[in-house]
């Protein structure tokens, strides 16, 4: 079930991974090195930054520090999922697959699943996403230039799967005017940050603004979101 | 990559993994300590709020089309509308996304041909 529900993520992962593979090889990394980066770091934006900074001759310590700084936003993901993770020795290993997109999907779906299915669901979804990222990077490293010149529109259309998926995940949480105002603020700030080129800081900044709005704005209806609502 | 670069990459990979793992271990300990109150109650209120805000932020960041011209924005707007309509009808995850992506593609092609 996790594999099936993570399929929409491929529309966003594969084109971006192809771009990464292409940029990485253009920056002087071999196909094997590109694969190693995608397999081990496995965090989109920070990988682009890593190869970009290395290629431009930045100090290694600064490159590593910036890579980690971009990924700091992941700190809040696992604690948010923890209440729905039944005891299993697999969770520490599965955390390698906890990307922005897998978090968004799991945060909506895990509460709706029986406890017995949650490890399997997460394993399937995270593994599919991880393998698609690695496969996309390989494709980009080997044939990225040919692919982007042959089907330029595909690389533009497929990434729309991500906003389409996220909108489906977030809409059930518009359960009151207070939540609607806070979530809309978060979406708007995230959009604005991307438009002005602050993509990397966009997610934590937008989420903070949304949370700030939630606590500051007191509107008449104040119900908590239906955590078990169907996505 | 030189040996130094390999080590740097491995440090970045390990650090990223720990950023994902350590908060889980912290929260699992916290949940174990407060199990009597029920798992959701043990979750700090700010985390309950921040989770959906992160998803909304990821949505906002991903809304900008690859080619942000008029056709791209129009396709985004109509694509999102169709996604929501199909979601209202099916209440599923897959079909709304498929419908949204197809709509986005059609609108981009038609809009570029017309404009």
């Amino acid at each position: 079930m996790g594999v099936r529900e993570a399929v929409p993520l491929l529309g966003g992962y594969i084109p971006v991974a192809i771009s990464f593979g292409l940029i990485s090889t253009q920056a002087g990394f071999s196909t094997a090195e590109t694969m190693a980066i995608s397999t081990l770091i496995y965090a989109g934006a920070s990988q682009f930054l890593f190869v970009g900074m290395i290629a431009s001759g930045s100090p290694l310590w600064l490159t590593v520090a910036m890579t980690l700084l971009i990924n700091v936003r992941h700190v809040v993901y696992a604690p948010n999922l923890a209440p729905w993770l039944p005891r299993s020795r697999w969770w520490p290993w599965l955390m390698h697959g906890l990307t922005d997109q897998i978090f968004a999907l799991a945060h909506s779906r895990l509460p709706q699943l029986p406890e017995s299915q949650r490890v399997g669901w997460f394993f399937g979804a995270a593994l599919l996403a991880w393998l698609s990222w690695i496969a996309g990077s390989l494709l980009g490293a080997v044939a990225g230039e040919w692919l982007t010149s042959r089907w330029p529109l595909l690389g533009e259309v497929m990434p729309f799967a991500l906003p389409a998926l996220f909108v489906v995940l977030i809409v059930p949480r518009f359960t009151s005017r207070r939540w609607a105002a806070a979530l809309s603020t978060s979406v708007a700030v995230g959009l604005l940050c991307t438009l002005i080129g602050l993509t990397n800081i966009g997610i934590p900044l937008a989420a903070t603004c949304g949370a700030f709005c939630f606590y500051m704005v007191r509107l008449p209806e104040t119900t908590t979101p239906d955590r078990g609502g169907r996505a | 990559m030189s040996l130094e670069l390999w080590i740097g990459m491995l440090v970045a990979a390990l650090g990223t993994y720990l950023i994902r793992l350590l908060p889980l271990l912290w929260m699992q300990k916290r949940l174990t300590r407060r199990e009597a109150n029920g798992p959701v109650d043990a979750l700090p209120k700010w985390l309950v709020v921040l989770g959906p805000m992160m998803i909304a932020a990821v949505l906002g960041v991903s809304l900008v089309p690859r080619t942000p011209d008029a056709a791209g924005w129009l396709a985004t707007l109509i694509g999102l509308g169709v996604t929501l309509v199909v979601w209202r009808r099916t209440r599923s995850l897959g079909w709304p996304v498929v419908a949204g992506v197809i709509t986005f593609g059609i609108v981009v092609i038609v809009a570029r041909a017309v404009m």
Side-chain angles (χ1 to χ4, degrees):
Chain A
M1 196 196 296
V3 171
R4 197 182 66 221
E5 292 186 347
V7 166
L9 294 181
L10 303 190
Y13 271 46
I14 293 176
V16 179
I18 290 173
S19 306
F20 172 72
L22 178 62
I23 287 169
S24 179
T25 48
Q26 284 174 345
F29 291 86
S30 69
T31 301
E33 289 161 355
T34 300
M35 296 277 289
I37 293 170
S38 279
T39 305
L40 298 173
I41 296 183
Y42 185 39
S46 67
Q47 287 183 213
F48 281 95
L49 185 87
F50 185 86
V51 298
M53 285 184 75
I54 294 294
S56 65
S58 301
L60 185 58
W61 68 267
L62 185 63
T63 305
V64 172
M66 290 303 293
T67 303
L68 295 176
L69 193 65
I70 288 179
N71 294 333
V72 160
R73 68 181 185 280
H74 293 171
V75 158
V76 298
Y77 291 167
N80 256 287
L81 297 181
W84 290 283
L85 306 184
R87 285 186 190 282
S88 168
R89 62 193 169 88
W90 290 104
W91 290 121
W93 302 106
L94 292 174
M95 286 303 104
H96 180 56
L98 189 61
T99 60
D100 298 319
Q101 294 77 14
I102 289 293
F103 164 72
L105 197 58
H107 192 260
S108 298
R109 289 294 288 136
L110 285 180
Q112 300 162 2
L113 296 172
E115 276 200 10
S116 58
Q117 292 181 12
R118 290 177 189 166
V119 178
W121 183 94
F122 193 96
F123 181 80
L127 187 67
L128 180 71
W130 189 42
L131 292 179
S132 74
W133 181 256
I134 297 167
S137 301
L138 173 66
L139 203 58
V142 174
E145 230 159 308
W146 179 78
L147 279 171
T148 48
S149 61
R150 185 103 167 79
W151 292 296
L153 200 61
L154 207 60
E156 186 179 347
V157 173
M158 293 308 285
F160 185 74
L162 289 183
L165 176 65
F166 296 140
V167 84
V168 170
L169 293 176
I170 206 68
V171 159
R173 295 177 188 278
F174 281 67
T175 51
S176 69
R177 287 165 64 186
R178 186 184 186 192
W179 274 96
L183 291 167
S184 301
T185 301
S186 193
V187 173
V189 174
L191 176 63
L192 193 67
C193 284
T194 310
L195 285 174
I196 59 174
L198 298 174
T199 310
N200 292 332
I201 200 175
I203 294 173
L205 185 65
T208 307
C209 289
F212 185 73
C213 174
F214 182 85
Y215 284 112
M216 296 307 291
V217 178
R218 299 279 173 189
L219 293 168
E221 305 156 56
T222 51
T223 57
T224 51
D226 176 12
R227 302 187 69 83
R230 184 94 175 93
Chain B
M1 285 198 292
S2 64
L3 179 64
E4 191 189 24
L5 202 49
W6 271 104
I7 292 170
M9 193 274 283
L10 289 173
V11 170
L14 182 66
T16 301
Y17 173 64
L18 291 177
I19 285 170
R20 290 165 173 161
L21 172 68
L22 295 180
L24 173 75
L25 302 180
W26 167 74
M27 181 51 80
Q28 281 181 330
K29 272 190 180 171
R30 188 184 160 101
L31 289 172
T32 307
R33 277 202 307 270
R34 300 180 60 177
E35 217 155 39
N37 299 332
V40 175
D41 291 337
L43 197 64
K45 176 73 174 162
W46 63 270
L47 267 180
V48 175
V49 173
L50 204 56
M53 294 309 153
M54 293 295 273
I55 302 174
V58 176
L59 167 64
V61 166
S62 65
L63 274 177
V64 179
R66 275 284 183 95
T67 310
D69 57 1
W73 284 111
L74 184 68
T76 301
L77 210 63
I78 297 175
L80 284 178
V82 170
T83 303
L84 285 171
V85 169
V86 177
W87 172 78
R88 275 184 74 100
R89 284 175 177 273
T90 63
R91 300 275 161 165
S92 65
L93 277 178
W95 289 115
V97 175
V98 170
V101 171
I102 291 171
T103 306
F104 181 93
I106 292 171
V107 174
V108 162
I109 292 167
V110 172
R112 296 249 165 88
V114 173
M115 288 174 182

